[in-house]
Amino acid sequence: MRPRCRVQKSHLMRKASPASSISAREAVLLGLTIWALYVAAIRMPLLYNSNQNTKFLHGLALAFPDRLGADWTARTVDGLPLFSGLVYVVAAFAAPVVFYLLEVAILGIMCLSLLAIAWFASRGAGGLASIIAIGGSLVIMVSPAHIEVLHGVAGQYMTRGYLQPSEFGVLYLPALLFAQRGKPLAMVIAAIPAAFHPAYISISVVLLLVIVLSRWRDDLGLAPLTLLVSAGILALPSFDLALRFVPTDRETFKLANQILAFERIPHHSDPSRWAGWSAMCKLVLAILAIAFMPRGVMRGALVALILLAVCGTAVVAITGNAEVALWAPWRASIVIVPVSIAILLGTVVGAIFGRFTALWLRVGVCFVASTLAIWIAGEGIALKLKTWGDRNRSGYIQYVLDHHAPSDIYLTPPSNAGFRLDAMTAIFVSRKTHPYLDVEVIEWKRRIDLARRVYSEMPDSPQPRSVDCESLTELVASYPITHFLHPASRPVVDCGGLELLFRGDEAEIYPVS
């Protein structure tokens, strides 16, 4: 029989010294305060921002079929069914403010988890003073100046202040904390992000393997029921994807992946675009964090995730494989970077307060950290108030909202990402929002090319030109378009048969027969 683990309870549940001990009430109050400052500091745009125009579409179309039911993209195969279900429930049965509340909760999980990881790395030195120093530093890192300190590489991040499927990756942080303390619930928590975003499947697999191996090594038991639930949460999304996204044929599948990886999102998928100085600095930080982190599951997780990211990047850089590029193994950096920074932050704070016990030093550090955090939180609140104050709708958006018919389909410039959800009406196509099934990706590309020709919105034409009437006629003959949206900043429309329906400061609307 294998001897009981020499664990290393000091690794799983490190005790603070008497001088650094704090009461549960103090910890809760301080944690809530730091959470509030963190949320206040970070930029939180209004609905619907950036990726929300893509990720919210299927759920909103299900909740409001009379508004978005005619939209072709909304009827493509949904790659994010669980998140779409969440959007549908909130949109159909609650108020939009719930989307903001969910984001506040997600930010709280991230902030408090990073605080706990840093506290663990500090070994509890300094007590309340070290928590204030760490918490203040975390608030500073999410300042409204768009400092992307906690972001991963390739434009990937865990949170950016607005609700989207990728933000459920914050659950990896409490999963690591639970695993570090030997709690089997860590396995379930680590599996959940993969159910919300397929790109997280590989990260969840790696973390589950690390947690299981760590529990086996430390004689903590594998908790069969918990392991079974975790495997189910992880397997169901993969099985669902395999059923609903069966490749039409090898060539079609390959072409669709090439379009998505290297035409639609090369900034995320092509290492030659992002593997530079910033990525190398973040890799160095991760290696330093591993060096300072004591032996345990968190250290093992960092090592495994770094191997996943580095090896995957090498494969894509050498082969140019679009499938691996879309899989984006370097997305693991969204966990690696914030965890590494929290470990290094805690190590530095612990070293300072562990070596220097002078009261004036502790008071001074706390004063500087808390003052800067409050200042940055104030800037964040001011930015939120300005954003809210500037929320007035454009005239043409209000016109579409007021005069919508369920069969309306608007042709808009492909670069106009926000019109569809701002006006809650169907559109022909948007470059921002694309499908995932191979034949639908190719149809999306065809639509984009047609719309670009209509608006003369080609890569080799930086200056807007007049509408291509011949391309407009071809498009209308092939697709059931009811309205044509023309930006007021572009040259005047001179196509026969078009009669102006609405003119505003930003756009004109023409009915199309």
Side-chain angles (χ1 to χ4, degrees):
M1 184 175 178
R2 197 156 55 96
R4 295 296 296 177
C5 177
R6 300 166 294 172
V7 188
Q8 302 158 26
K9 269 200 170 188
S10 59
H11 294 153
L12 297 176
M13 208 173 296
R14 191 176 302 277
K15 294 182 179 179
S17 63
S20 65
S21 62
I22 60 175
S23 69
R25 183 172 178 273
E26 290 174 328
V28 169
L29 289 176
L30 193 51
L32 290 175
T33 302
I34 293 170
W35 176 5
L37 291 173
Y38 191 90
V39 172
I42 200 167
R43 178 178 175 267
M44 292 183 69
L46 298 173
L47 295 171
Y48 299 96
N49 181 71
S50 188
N51 289 342
Q52 288 181 333
N53 288 291
T54 297
K55 314 304 183 185
F56 277 51
L57 177 58
H58 282 85
L60 291 178
L62 189 61
F64 307 109
D66 58 323
R67 303 289 312 197
L68 295 166
D71 194 287
W72 173 79
T73 310
R75 290 183 277 110
T76 58
V77 181
D78 186 4
L80 304 163
L82 187 59
F83 184 78
S84 295
L86 173 64
V87 171
Y88 164 73
V89 169
V90 174
F93 305 107
V97 70
V98 174
F99 290 125
Y100 295 104
L101 296 178
L102 288 172
E103 178 63 20
V104 168
I106 286 172
L107 292 173
I109 293 172
M110 182 173 184
C111 171
L112 297 180
S113 296
L114 291 177
L115 183 64
I117 291 170
W119 167 256
F120 173 82
S122 74
R123 295 167 169 78
L128 282 173
S130 65
I131 294 179
I132 293 172
I134 292 167
S137 300
L138 291 174
V139 172
I140 294 168
M141 290 178 191
V142 293
S143 73
H146 307 295
I147 299 174
E148 300 179 351
V149 175
L150 298 177
H151 289 191
V153 301
Q156 307 285 3
Y157 45 82
M158 194 169 277
T159 59
R160 200 161 192 171
Y162 58 92
L163 185 67
Q164 54 183 313
S166 62
E167 302 231 324
F168 287 88
V170 300
L171 294 176
Y172 290 129
L173 302 178
L176 288 174
L177 286 167
F178 276 105
Q180 190 72 31
R181 295 179 64 86
K183 305 296 184 182
L185 184 61
M187 292 186 284
V188 176
I189 299 174
I192 292 174
F196 279 93
H197 202 309
Y200 285 151
I201 291 175
S202 59
I203 301 176
S204 291
V205 168
V206 168
L207 289 183
L208 278 174
L209 287 174
V210 170
I211 293 170
V212 168
L213 289 173
S214 177
R215 293 183 65 81
W216 173 80
R217 181 198 66 200
D218 295 340
D219 275 350
L220 293 175
L222 295 182
L225 180 59
T226 307
L227 182 58
L228 183 63
V229 172
S230 306
I233 294 173
L234 189 57
L236 282 175
S238 303
F239 185 66
D240 171 67
L241 289 173
L243 286 178
R244 294 189 300 115
F245 289 89
V246 177
T248 303
D249 56 67
R250 181 60 193 167
E251 289 305 312
T252 304
F253 186 66
K254 181 178 179 180
L255 176 59
N257 285 334
Q258 288 284 341
I259 291 171
L260 290 180
F262 301 123
E263 291 186 43
R264 170 62 186 89
I265 51 171
H267 54 294
H268 292 319
S269 304
D270 187 352
S272 67
R273 296 284 190 100
W274 56 261
W277 175 249
S278 176
M280 288 302 299
C281 289
K282 290 179 178 181
L283 178 59
V284 170
L285 286 177
I287 294 171
L288 286 174
I290 291 171
F292 285 106
M293 190 67 182
R295 179 175 174 269
V297 67
M298 199 176 298
R299 184 181 185 185
L302 278 181
V303 172
L305 291 175
I306 290 172
L307 289 174
L308 171 67
V310 172
C311 293
T313 302
V315 168
V316 176
I318 293 169
T319 67
N321 187 289
E323 294 172 39
V324 180
L326 284 177
W327 167 39
W330 45 82
R331 188 184 283 266
S333 62
I334 64 129
V335 181
I336 296 168
V337 172
V339 169
S340 299
I341 288 176
I343 290 170
L344 293 174
L345 176 61
T347 301
V348 170
V349 170
I352 292 174
F353 287 122
R355 176 170 297 188
F356 304 102
T357 59
L359 180 62
W360 65 268
L361 177 63
R362 298 192 177 200
V363 171
V365 170
C366 289
F367 176 77
V368 171
S370 57
T371 301
L372 286 176
I374 292 170
W375 177 271
I376 288 172
E379 286 185 338
I381 291 172
L383 180 60
K384 289 179 179 64
L385 292 175
K386 182 179 185 301
T387 301
W388 186 257
D390 296 341
R391 71 189 186 281
N392 293 333
R393 293 191 181 100
S394 300
Y396 75 100
I397 296 290
Q398 191 63 54
Y399 176 85
V400 176
L401 284 168
D402 294 340
H403 296 82
H404 171 82
S407 60
D408 284 352
I409 301 176
Y410 279 71
L411 173 62
T412 61
S415 57
N416 188 335
F419 174 81
R420 177 195 274 126
L421 297 190
D422 286 342
M424 284 298 287
T425 196
I427 67 170
F428 176 64
V429 74
S430 162
R431 189 177 185 279
K432 178 69 176 176
T433 305
H434 61 82
Y436 295 92
L437 186 65
D438 53 11
V439 291
E440 293 174 343
V441 170
I442 292 171
E443 169 60 17
W444 169 82
K445 178 66 163 55
R446 168 179 159 78
R447 288 171 174 247
I448 288 292
D449 290 343
L450 277 172
R452 276 178 164 172
R453 291 213 317 264
V454 170
Y455 287 98
S456 301
E457 200 177 82
M458 306 305 289
D460 60 349
S461 177
Q463 296 299 322
R465 296 184 297 181
S466 59
V467 171
D468 186 331
C469 299
E470 184 178 341
S471 296
L472 177 60
T473 301
E474 177 189 344
L475 191 152
V476 171
S478 303
Y479 295 95
I481 305 301
T482 62
H483 293 80
F484 172 64
L485 182 74
H486 180 255
S489 60
R490 307 233 175 154
V492 176
V493 176
D494 187 20
C495 298
L498 288 183
E499 296 183 4
L500 184 67
L501 180 66
F502 171 84
R503 174 177 285 134
D505 293 336
E506 297 180 46
E508 300 169 341
I509 297 173
Y510 298 85
V512 177
S513 60

